[in-house]
Amino acid sequence: LLSCKTGTSSPQGTKVNAPFSGNKYESNGTWFRGVGQGVSVKQNIARGKADIDAKNQVASQVGTSMRAVTDQYLGQTENANAADVADKFQSLIREVMNTELADLRKVGEETYLKEETKEYTVYVAYEIRKAAMFRFMKKQARTDRRVSEQELKVMDEILDQEIKRAEAEGN
C-alpha cells in the first residue's frame, strides 16, 4: 500500500491539501476572505506575491458584491441618475481597495522551502469584516468632492442596507 502525505489519490489525480482551505477561510455573510500563494527563490518575494494575491481576492469579492448590490438597488429605485451613481460608486470602491485598510487582518501565513529547487512557497490568508468595510466606504464617500449630495444619499442607503445585512449574518 502506498500513502501520499499531500492528499488522497483518485482517477483525477492526487488531491492536494493546501494551507488555509475550508470554510474557515472562505467568504460568508460576515467576512470577505482571501487566500494567496507566492513562489520564488527569495522568501520576501514569495511573501509579497502571496500577499498581493490574497488582497486581490478580497478586493475582487468586494467589487463584485458591491456592483451586484448597486445594480439591484438602482434598478429597484429607478433612479434617474443611475449611471452616474453607479460609475462614482465603482470609482469609490476602486479607491477604497487601493488604500491600506485598518481592519484588514492577516489570519495566517505559512512558508515552505523546497530543498531540491531552493524555492519558497508562502501562503497567506486575509479577512475583513464586511460591516467594517462598508463603514469605511461611507467615510471615504464623504471625503470625495466629486460626489453630489444626491449621489451620497444613494450610496449611504446602499451601504446602510449592506451593513445591516452583514451585522445580521454575524449574530
Side-chain angles (χ1 to χ4, degrees), residues 103-154:
D103 201 39
L104 185 67
R105 298 176 209 158
K106 185 184 283 188
V107 292
E109 181 177 318
E110 291 186 14
T111 303
Y112 299 87
L113 174 62
K114 193 173 195 176
E115 287 294 335
E116 312 87 68
T117 61
K118 301 293 185 211
E119 283 184 322
Y120 291 93
T121 301
V122 178
Y123 296 88
V124 177
Y126 278 104
E127 68 181 11
I128 187 167
R129 191 174 282 280
K130 285 184 176 184
M133 179 73 216
F134 300 140
R135 281 190 189 94
F136 184 75
M137 291 172 106
K138 280 182 70 167
K139 181 179 168 189
Q140 290 300 108
R142 287 178 173 18
T143 63
D144 191 338
R145 297 188 194 324
R146 297 168 295 169
V147 178
S148 72
E149 281 299 315
Q150 177 60 30
E151 291 163 338
L152 188 59
K153 183 178 179 254
V154 172

Side-chain angles (χ1 to χ4, degrees), residues 9-62:
S9 193
S10 73
Q12 293 82 17
T14 302
K15 181 178 179 184
V16 176
N17 295 324
F20 312 124
S21 58
N23 289 347
K24 184 178 177 186
Y25 300 100
E26 294 173 1
S27 294
N28 58 34
T30 307
W31 300 94
F32 287 116
R33 293 185 172 127
V35 175
Q37 175 187 351
V39 179
S40 177
V41 293
K42 295 190 180 243
Q43 186 176 0
N44 63 331
I45 292 174
R47 180 177 291 116
K49 287 179 177 180
D51 204 60
I52 289 168
D53 189 23
K55 287 178 180 177
N56 282 341
Q57 281 189 25
V58 172
S60 175
Q61 291 170 34
V62 171

Side-chain angles (χ1 to χ4, degrees), residues 46-99:
R47 180 177 291 116
K49 287 179 177 180
D51 204 60
I52 289 168
D53 189 23
K55 287 178 180 177
N56 282 341
Q57 281 189 25
V58 172
S60 175
Q61 291 170 34
V62 171
T64 301
S65 172
M66 290 313 302
R67 214 172 353 269
V69 167
T70 304
D71 290 347
Q72 179 183 354
Y73 178 88
L74 294 173
Q76 288 172 352
T77 59
E78 297 177 9
N79 190 304
N81 300 342
D84 290 341
V85 172
D87 286 347
K88 287 190 179 158
F89 206 33
Q90 291 309 311
S91 175
L92 171 69
I93 292 165
R94 279 190 297 279
E95 285 176 34
V96 166
M97 294 317 298
N98 286 334
T99 63

